[in-house]
Amino acid sequence: MSAILLDGQMVHYEVLGRGRPVIFLHGWIGSWRYWIPTMQAASIAYRAYALDFWGFGDSAKVPERYALDGQVNLLRGFMDQMGMGRVALIGHGLGATVAVMFALRYPEVVDRVLAVAYPLDETRLHPRLRSQSPEELVDWLLERNSTTEPVRVEAAKTDPRAIQDSLEGLTTLEAREASQKITCACLLVYGEKDPVVPAPSDEVFLGLPFQTHGIVFDQSGHFPILDESSKFNRLVMDFLSLGVGESPRMLQLKEEWKRRVR
């Protein structure tokens, strides 16, 4: 297991490949492990990192750092200690929120952001996310099979307070406005069947800034990473291959991605 110390507390991470850095940030359910297939795909051309937030996986359980600010600071400390310059961020749920907020605070070090199940409107989050245990959430959202087992195993390590404290931060003005103020290329990805973070309406997609693009995966729930993994991984690689300053709206439409793309 790879780990660093931030202010005396352990942060677990994993890394694959060589090249420009890409950091994968997990969601409220599970931790770094479900990113492995996407990390493997990205590692052919990039150095792919994944880390556990405070209170998740094998990182330290430090309640005073569970709020969104604490998780954003974890990412900043991780990058500083690893000596990283500009990076691409790929986040899911909680990780998507941290990635967008981080890019707003530190635009000079973020090249682009891919945000899966990013809550543009926190009032539409399913209330079960706030009331059920991590194990109950996994049983609700995922079938039991070898593909979903990494989420199930890692969810059991989660401090439930880490979920609750980060959710409270979604109501701050910074979190609510982050997606409208982010200046780098930003790709938002949703599952059409996601009960946790419903895909935005067409009107919301149309109101996104020019540098932000939205794609909805037809056959996916809360985990497009797992539900349509080959399509998702191809999208990740296409997004990472965009030229500097290019909007994700320039991505070539793949027939199987989704009929509704904005």
Side-chain angles (χ1 to χ4, degrees), residues 15-34:
V15 60
L16 295 173
R18 302 173 67 89
R20 290 184 292 147
V22 181
I23 302 178
F24 292 84
L25 304 171
H26 65 78
W28 286 289
I29 305 156
S31 70
W32 76 277
R33 197 176 300 274
Y34 64 82

Side-chain angles (χ1 to χ4, degrees), residues 123-201:
T123 65
R124 299 186 68 215
L125 287 173
H126 199 289
R128 291 175 72 164
L129 187 59
R130 303 177 186 274
S131 63
Q132 294 192 325
S133 71
E135 294 88 346
E136 290 171 324
L137 292 170
V138 173
D139 286 338
W140 171 42
L141 293 169
L142 293 170
E143 298 178 355
R144 287 183 177 270
N145 56 49
S146 59
T147 300
T148 64
E149 189 61 20
V151 185
R152 196 173 303 278
V153 170
E154 295 297 313
K157 302 177 182 179
T158 303
D159 182 347
R161 183 175 166 182
I163 299 176
Q164 303 308 317
D165 289 2
S166 64
L167 287 171
E168 290 178 7
L170 294 178
T171 61
T172 65
L173 186 63
E174 180 186 21
R176 286 176 170 175
E177 295 185 349
S179 62
Q180 289 293 329
K181 294 184 176 180
I182 190 172
T183 57
C184 67
C186 181
L187 179 61
L188 305 179
V189 178
Y190 296 91
E192 179 72 26
K193 302 176 182 179
D194 186 354
V196 182
V197 185
S201 67

Side-chain angles (χ1 to χ4, degrees), residues 105-133:
R105 292 189 192 181
Y106 306 106
E108 70 280 1
V109 297
V110 179
D111 177 62
R112 63 196 66 198
V113 172
L114 193 156
V116 184
Y118 174 75
L120 284 168
D121 180 358
E122 84 283 353
T123 65
R124 299 186 68 215
L125 287 173
H126 199 289
R128 291 175 72 164
L129 187 59
R130 303 177 186 274
S131 63
Q132 294 192 325
S133 71

Side-chain angles (χ1 to χ4, degrees), residues 208-223:
L208 293 173
F210 175 74
Q211 75 278 4
T212 302
H213 187 44
I215 290 178
V216 182
F217 275 31
D218 223 356
Q219 301 302 314
S220 290
H222 187 61
F223 287 86

Side-chain angles (χ1 to χ4, degrees), residues 38-131:
T38 309
M39 291 176 67
Q40 290 173 332
S43 68
I44 296 172
Y46 302 91
R47 189 159 177 82
Y49 295 85
L51 65 154
D52 290 337
F53 288 125
W54 299 123
F56 293 83
D58 293 310
S59 287
K61 308 298 188 282
V62 191
E64 60 268 25
R65 301 182 186 179
Y66 288 168
L68 282 178
D69 271 353
Q71 308 293 13
V72 170
N73 291 338
L74 180 154
L75 179 56
R76 176 83 256 194
F78 177 78
M79 287 181 58
D80 288 346
Q81 194 161 142
M82 301 299 287
M84 294 183 187
R86 288 178 66 83
V87 300
L89 300 177
I90 300 178
H92 174 223
L94 168 60
T97 305
V98 170
V100 173
M101 290 180 62
F102 187 90
L104 183 63
R105 292 189 192 181
Y106 306 106
E108 70 280 1
V109 297
V110 179
D111 177 62
R112 63 196 66 198
V113 172
L114 193 156
V116 184
Y118 174 75
L120 284 168
D121 180 358
E122 84 283 353
T123 65
R124 299 186 68 215
L125 287 173
H126 199 289
R128 291 175 72 164
L129 187 59
R130 303 177 186 274
S131 63

